[in-house]
Amino acid sequence: MGRRRASQLLAGYRQFLLGRPTPSSHEQSISGSYWKLNTWRPCCMFRVSVGTPQASNYLNLGKTYAIKQRSFGSAATDIPRNPAFSNLNADDISYFRTILGERNVVEDEDRLSAANVDWMRKYQGSSKLLLLPKSSQEVSKILHHCNSRKLAVVPQGGNTGLVGGSVPVHDEVIINLASMDKIVSLDKINGILVCEGGCILENLSSFLENEGFIMPLDLGAKGSCQIGGNISTNAGGLRFVRYGSLHGTILGLEVVLANGTILDMLGTLRKDNTGYDLKHLFIGSEGSLGIVTKVSILTPPKLMSMNLAFLACKDFTSCQKLLLEAKRALGGVLSAFEFMDSHSMDLVLSHLDGVRSPLPSSLYNFYILVETTGSDETYDKTKLEAFLLRSMEEGLILDGVVAQDINQSSSFWRIREGISEASVKVGAVYKYDLSLPIDQFYGIVEEMRNRLGEAAKVVGYGHLGDGNLHLNIMTTRYDSDILAQIEPYVYEWTSKHKGSISAEHGLGLMKANKIHYSKSPETVQLMVDIKKMLDPNLILNPYKVLPQSCFN
Amino acid sequence: MGRRRASQLLAGYRQFLLGRPTPSSHEQSISGSYWKLNTWRPCCMFRVSVGTPQASNYLNLGKTYAIKQRSFGSAATDIPRNPAFSNLNADDISYFRTILGERNVVEDEDRLSAANVDWMRKYQGSSKLLLLPKSSQEVSKILHHCNSRKLAVVPQGGNTGLVGGSVPVHDEVIINLASMDKIVSLDKINGILVCEGGCILENLSSFLENEGFIMPLDLGAKGSCQIGGNISTNAGGLRFVRYGSLHGTILGLEVVLANGTILDMLGTLRKDNTGYDLKHLFIGSEGSLGIVTKVSILTPPKLMSMNLAFLACKDFTSCQKLLLEAKRALGGVLSAFEFMDSHSMDLVLSHLDGVRSPLPSSLYNFYILVETTGSDETYDKTKLEAFLLRSMEEGLILDGVVAQDINQSSSFWRIREGISEASVKVGAVYKYDLSLPIDQFYGIVEEMRNRLGEAAKVVGYGHLGDGNLHLNIMTTRYDSDILAQIEPYVYEWTSKHKGSISAEHGLGLMKANKIHYSKSPETVQLMVDIKKMLDPNLILNPYKVLPQSCFN
């Protein structure tokens, strides 16, 4: 693919910008299937509705093997039950009924079935009890009892995790905060929201949007996931590049510790330098140090202007430079900078019906989605277009188009969001969620492509703005020889280049034993010491996050 | 003061905007004295240069009492030396010489004098030894030795703190990281800087500005303070409203623990969800859990356009609403939202030579400084002016002016920055740094004014954009009866309204015993448990942060 002169590109870009046809029927058909439960979405953008009739059908156990075969990463090894844990007995259940009332102590098999398995049906527990507390005090009483009886528990939110962190491994008591879904307060001057941990993210978003604010995080799973779970997993999502980590936006937490202590850290202040800021221990600890029962979060003002550009670059260096320029030129309004390679585009075009390239004249090496959100429609658009024209003149962009309406925006996002769905249509897919330094971001994709040759199709895409790569490796069927070529190589390579083997999904059960690829022995030891201090009986979400060998 | 019609205000505003005279001689005289060492600056904006000849003069012990009398808050009570600590002996000093070399083991009395006292000369220790390590390994060896010998230490950066956290209380060994001032790397795509903990903030800023980035924090003390100290105190500063807390911008740390373990958490990734995010324990723990030896920090792109408006409001409700509007209208470019009451303005006009009001036609109830920084001079100015016109039409602003050049900007800032300097000219001043919910922000100022009546002059100002109030209470001389009317009332009031008794300065020695006003007993107990776990001999910065009674 030769490089065209900037003036030609510019002319082509302008023509496309002004003359782009209205959405065709395939785009309508896309939107029709957009939220279907069995549609594969990118790993941070899925949506499930656990507990609905559709979800019950979807969670039919008979499908487990087929799905496992389609999406295979680091499967959990068989972990023996910790013999120090007690077995649940009738007295325990009577006690829980006394605390919670009859209907919030669930032994119904169908409901337990749904709560015992993750949405991918990759991890399966055998809990006999699901508890639904309605207050922090009830959570406290449950944990106090479980701790004194050495009954293991698994905290569960929307059960939308991807690493097996939210389902039992054995017979842990499931504590789900779905009934703790109240909004406590909103400071309308500063946008500080206080709510219970069981609030569903989408409900919070809807509430805030009516008040002129938005949540600083947005996930495809927002229709099911709970804010307490988001915090416990330190969820990243689509607004990370704009609003940053939850460590920056969470102002306070109320957490119940393993022994039932209610830890009140529910500040609503932007600044508070009185002692150690302990709330951060619980952000991303995957429910293994405490259960998040209340949340105070800083929410940004709602902005009305949104623009989206779909761009082509000749090489990865251009993508890097474009990111730098975008941060400089669009700093205040940049809200997404998403990346995919030609193999990703080819995959989507080949396997998803009704998807077409917004830049059909060629298959380019790399594609970038740049989104801005701001307060001034005309200015934001002018600013984006000036940035795009400059970038074209500098040769960073080979071609590009700006969405003219919501349908075009949806069709652009559909390509990015469709990669994961398309990847499972090939056969088996090995999925990795890596964080890498920007100069190494694409290296592992090329390495794996060279390493596997004709045996596999390798695609790379993800949140380039955050340094978060999704590496998908596809073969016609699952093959242990292929897996042996991928792992532990992919983890070793990531570790060698100072990356993270889990950018946004956590470790859960899937990668608990792989923490040493991203963390030093001294750091892991301190995590273990903190776990033992806060939860000496190890009842909270056992077998997850940290290697079991650390506790033997 | 009657309310004028919006159209009149608008006309007045435009006239002032277009017809503002050039800076007069008094403004030049201000800039001449601007950086003098003995100039009083607002508490987060001071600058000292410890170790320079001027500083040595300034740190003459004879002035201690006078300065204490001028700025009196919660003075430290006499704390007995912990008898568990050993006394330094000749073998210790020999060992340190072996590790560090002769010249980095300082016993010189003059240099020790400077290191034993804080810049305000409020806190005075009696250390006999100052150590200047050049590497993390040297810090590790020092701490390993001190821990095994039970020698207490105080980590010291630029010694610019305001709560006695960076000077010895008794004979603690001082460890200063001034020799660890190397920049390790800069990722020019993402603006990720890695450097040693002893780098001076201003040096980092200068380095970054040449590369097209800025530090996400800026303090008046930047010429002396070290980044390791900034992180250990979770410094706030002038860019907080724009770039948020260090918990959001620090990507990684290397920390040496009390026993000498080097904890490598020096990630350079925006996303890393592999286990507990332990670096946050050390951000704001005031050197009591470990010494920060290396830092990885996300730095924003440098922006060239700056605008500053000086505004008058009739009441505090208008200030609140103006903040909300500013966040909505200027969201992406808002970089400061500073507040002061008429008493603050009156104080500055009465006591500082050559300062005049930019809005001289009246003394208004409240004043607001709004600063924007962005990438587009014309647009940013247009955006600010549109916001100001709207706010005037809505009656939120009574009058206002936008700085036309750097001299006018400096003269506007001079008023805000001059309040602290002016306050000490009255006589004695009792200073409080509070974080309060926005609806209670000004309440304590009015309460104190009513409570103290004619006995004192009470002024309120601060970072309204961050909810950070500086409350200054002035009397002609220090009076224990007045103090008894202020404390513990001010702490009790702050606690009752869910505020923080230390917004940005930390607890240090000054407020270690007052932590319970802002933190629950369970939270303080967990802090104590973590301190004991990480530093069982309690050698790191003893007597600070947490009440001594917790360790008896």
Side-chain angles (χ1 to χ4, degrees), chain A residues 187-190 211-213 233-234 236-237 240-241 244 247-248 261-265 269-278 280-281 284-286 288-289 301-303 320-321 323-324 327-329 332 375-376 379 383 435-438 463 465-466 468 498-507 515 518-520 522-523 526-527 529-531 533-534 545-546, chain B residues 187-190 211-213 233-234 236-237 240-241 244 247-248 261-265 269-278 280-281 284-286 288-289 301-303 320-321 323-324 327-329 332 375-376 379 383 435-438 463 465-466 468 498-507 515 518-520 522-523 526-527 529-531 533-534 545-546:
Chain A
D187 165 357
K188 294 184 187 181
I189 303 289
N190 284 312
E211 302 286 347
F213 296 94
T233 54
N234 190 27
F240 190 99
V241 73
H247 287 285
T261 298
I262 299 175
L263 209 58
D264 177 4
M265 307 170 291
L269 306 166
R270 291 215 60 189
K271 285 178 171 177
D272 176 19
N273 277 355
T274 53
Y276 313 150
D277 201 344
L278 298 181
H280 296 284
L281 270 182
S285 61
E286 304 185 48
S288 67
L289 296 180
K302 181 180 175 182
L303 301 169
Q320 283 182 314
K321 288 183 179 169
L323 173 62
L324 182 62
K327 286 188 172 178
R328 286 191 194 286
S375 56
D376 184 330
Y379 174 75
K383 196 168 186 175
S435 216
L436 289 162
I438 192 72
H463 317 291
D466 313 327
N468 185 180
K498 295 189 180 296
S500 167
I501 62 160
S502 181
E504 58 182 10
H505 298 164
L507 296 170
I515 191 170
S518 287
K519 292 288 157 73
S520 70
E522 296 81 9
T523 311
L526 182 50
M527 292 183 201
D529 292 345
I530 286 173
K531 168 72 177 175
M533 188 180 80
L534 282 170
V545 188
L546 295 164
Chain B
D187 164 358
K188 295 185 186 179
I189 303 289
N190 284 312
E211 301 287 347
F213 297 93
T233 54
N234 190 26
F240 190 98
V241 72
H247 287 284
T261 297
I262 300 176
L263 209 56
D264 177 5
M265 306 171 292
L269 306 166
R270 291 216 60 187
K271 286 179 169 176
D272 176 19
N273 275 355
T274 53
Y276 313 152
D277 202 344
L278 298 180
H280 296 283
L281 269 181
S285 61
E286 304 185 50
S288 67
L289 297 180
K302 182 181 175 183
L303 300 169
Q320 282 182 313
K321 287 182 181 169
L323 174 61
L324 183 62
K327 285 188 171 180
R328 284 190 196 287
S375 55
D376 184 330
Y379 174 76
K383 197 168 185 174
S435 215
L436 289 163
I438 192 73
H463 317 291
D466 313 327
N468 185 179
K498 296 188 180 295
S500 167
I501 61 159
S502 181
E504 58 182 10
H505 298 165
L507 295 170
I515 191 170
S518 288
K519 292 288 156 71
S520 69
E522 296 81 9
T523 311
L526 182 50
M527 291 182 201
D529 293 344
I530 286 173
K531 168 72 177 174
M533 189 180 78
L534 281 170
V545 188
L546 295 165

Side-chain angles (χ1 to χ4, degrees), chain A residues 170-187:
Chain A
H170 293 287
D171 58 344
E172 299 92 279
V173 174
I174 302 167
I175 302 175
N176 193 303
L177 264 62
S179 302
M180 291 181 62
D181 61 350
K182 288 185 282 298
I183 287 165
V184 177
S185 65
L186 174 66
D187 165 357

